[in-house]
């Protein structure tokens, strides 16, 4: 009876240890940003085109940020990186420009019910609504000359380019999941005045990981908003909208990112601009991360995690564990299972 009891205990303990090891590995997914769409890159399997898209995997979430300029190219690049769009947690569309949203039709063909966060605008491509009080009325007109015969609905709803898509429209900075915030800002610059844009800020154990689409409201304003969440800016990736900026503007922005905000690492792409790439590379040195199409960037405390079972135990923990294993494994069952599982007991 004693031997049988010890045998059963050993088997259960071995199974428990194996299950814990498996669960620990499963709970430690890679934390990374994979660039799926851009006009530069060294990955020959990717098609280069103007636009931006990135898959952000962090904190157990899989977030698609923007979808590029061409649905066919986007689909080809997604397949080239073997990315599964059917198990995304959500999509973020940074703003209404086509080079950031045209691939959405392909996403919806794979995952039609996926939640999509987009900027809320009074009259926008993602759908919108306005109170009917927004327009002036003239009650002297006959009904046939009046909107809705003079009896408009209280709220007028306007259609989206993707009528059946599951949009949630954001009009102010919002934490949409623990540690994951959409920063909502409005551009006041000529050419894009009143354009609303969302940026993704993930608050990791190592600081903020900030993903930007085009930074139309200004990269400094976006970083300032992110720093209000956590002053430590771990990484910025995406487009800085300096593609046509003069040298003095590039110098000012580079200095602000490095000296004022003390950004630790930078991975610029898309509309950042070639002269800005050069300036940032010079300023950040080995903290400048190449981020062409097809590149995967490790991020946060989870980045590169490859712990084996037993790592993190103190020497005393390991000694007690080994003694327990030997004492309760009289027939070597547990040790045999551990060897087969490749554990280092």
């Amino acid at each position: 009876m004693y031997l049988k009891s010890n045998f059963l205990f050993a088997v259960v303990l071995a199974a428990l240890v194996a299950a814990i090891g498996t669960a620990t590995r499963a709970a430690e997914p890679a934390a990374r940003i994979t660039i799926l769409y851009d006009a530069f890159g060294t990955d020959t399997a990717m098609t280069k085109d103007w636009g931006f898209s990135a898959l952000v995997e962090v904190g157990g979430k899989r977030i698609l940020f923007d979808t590029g300029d061409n649905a066919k190219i986007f689909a080809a690049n997604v397949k080239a990186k073997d990315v599964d769009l059917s198990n995304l947690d959500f999509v973020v569309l940074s703003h209404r420009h086509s080079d950031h949203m045209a691939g959405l039709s392909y996403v919806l063909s794979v995952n039609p019910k996926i939640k999509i966060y987009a900027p809320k605008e009074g009259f926008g491509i993602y759908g919108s609504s306005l109170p009917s009080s927004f327009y002036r009325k003239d009650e002297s007109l006959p009904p046939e000359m009046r909107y809705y015969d003079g009896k408009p609905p209280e709220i007028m709803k306007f259609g989206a380019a993707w009528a059946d898509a599951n949009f949630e429209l954001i009009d102010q900075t919002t934490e949409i999941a623990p540690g994951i915030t959409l920063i909502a800002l409005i551009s006041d610059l000529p050419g894009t005045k009143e354009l609303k844009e969302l940026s993704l800020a993930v608050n990791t154990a190592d600081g903020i990981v900030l993903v930007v689409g085009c930074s139309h409201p200004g990269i400094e304003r976006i970083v300032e908003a992110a720093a209000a969440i956590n002053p430590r800016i771990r990484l910025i990736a995406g487009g800085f909208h300096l593609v046509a900026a003069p040298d003095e503007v590039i110098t000012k922005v580079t200095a602000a990112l490095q000296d004022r905000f003390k950004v630790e690492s930078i991975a610029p792409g898309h509309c950042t601009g070639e002269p800005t790439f050069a300036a940032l590379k010079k300023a950040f040195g080995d903290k400048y991360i190449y981020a062409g199409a097809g590149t995967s960037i490790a991020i946060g405390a989870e980045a590169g995690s490859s712990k084996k079972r037993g790592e993190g135990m103190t020497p005393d923990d390991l000694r007690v564990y080994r003694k327990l294993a030997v004492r309760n494994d009289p027939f070597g069952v547990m040790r045999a299972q551990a060897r087969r599982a490749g554990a280092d007991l």
Side-chain angles (χ1 to χ4, degrees), residues 96-288:
R96 65 174 181 253
H97 287 169
S98 62
D99 55 337
H100 293 257
M101 66 181 189
L104 182 60
S105 57
Y106 176 69
V107 178
L108 293 173
S109 73
V110 175
N111 195 341
K113 300 300 181 182
I114 186 66
K115 176 173 281 190
I116 305 159
Y117 292 101
K120 183 177 182 180
E121 299 180 322
F123 207 80
I125 193 170
Y126 307 120
S128 55
S129 61
L130 285 173
S132 58
S133 58
F134 89 92
Y135 70 89
R136 293 180 60 198
K137 298 169 179 63
D138 188 339
E139 296 182 0
S140 69
L141 291 173
E144 64 269 21
M145 290 183 66
R146 301 190 65 193
Y147 302 126
Y148 301 97
D149 298 322
K151 299 176 181 178
E154 184 176 345
I155 299 297
M156 297 170 57
K157 296 183 178 180
F158 307 105
W162 300 272
D164 298 322
N166 179 20
F167 284 107
E168 182 167 335
L169 303 180
I170 302 294
D171 62 353
Q172 59 185 348
T173 295
T174 305
E175 186 178 46
I176 56 174
I180 300 177
T181 299
L182 292 180
I183 295 172
L185 292 173
I186 304 174
S187 171
D188 60 3
L189 300 175
T192 59
K193 196 171 183 65
E194 298 186 356
L195 177 70
K196 296 187 177 183
E197 185 167 338
L198 302 180
S199 302
L200 177 69
V202 183
N203 196 7
T204 76
D206 292 329
I208 293 288
V209 171
L210 181 62
V211 184
V212 293
C214 251
S215 303
H216 288 293
I219 186 62
E220 292 174 74
R221 287 182 62 204
I222 296 170
V223 177
E224 184 175 42
I229 301 169
N230 184 341
R232 182 180 179 186
I233 306 299
R234 166 72 180 83
L235 170 71
I236 307 174
F240 296 0
H241 202 61
L242 297 168
V243 68
D247 289 345
E248 57 269 25
V249 172
I250 295 171
T251 299
K252 174 180 173 293
V253 171
T254 299
L257 295 177
Q258 190 171 43
D259 301 329
R260 178 185 171 194
F261 296 109
K262 302 189 185 306
V263 174
E264 295 179 15
S265 297
I266 204 154
H270 184 44
C271 59
T272 300
E274 293 179 6
T276 313
F277 289 158
L280 291 170
K281 173 65 175 172
K282 181 178 180 180
F284 282 85
D286 61 1
K287 299 300 183 181
Y288 179 99

Side-chain angles (χ1 to χ4, degrees), residues 49-91:
D49 188 43
W50 190 265
F52 187 70
S53 176
L55 177 67
V56 182
E57 298 172 280
V58 65
K61 300 291 187 184
R62 301 182 75 251
I63 306 161
L64 181 65
F65 186 91
D66 285 342
T67 63
D69 186 61
N70 180 290
K72 290 182 179 179
I73 294 174
F74 175 72
N77 286 352
V78 164
K79 292 171 184 175
K81 298 304 294 182
D82 196 27
V83 170
D84 183 2
L85 297 180
S86 68
N87 66 352
L88 296 172
D89 287 283
F90 52 86
V91 175

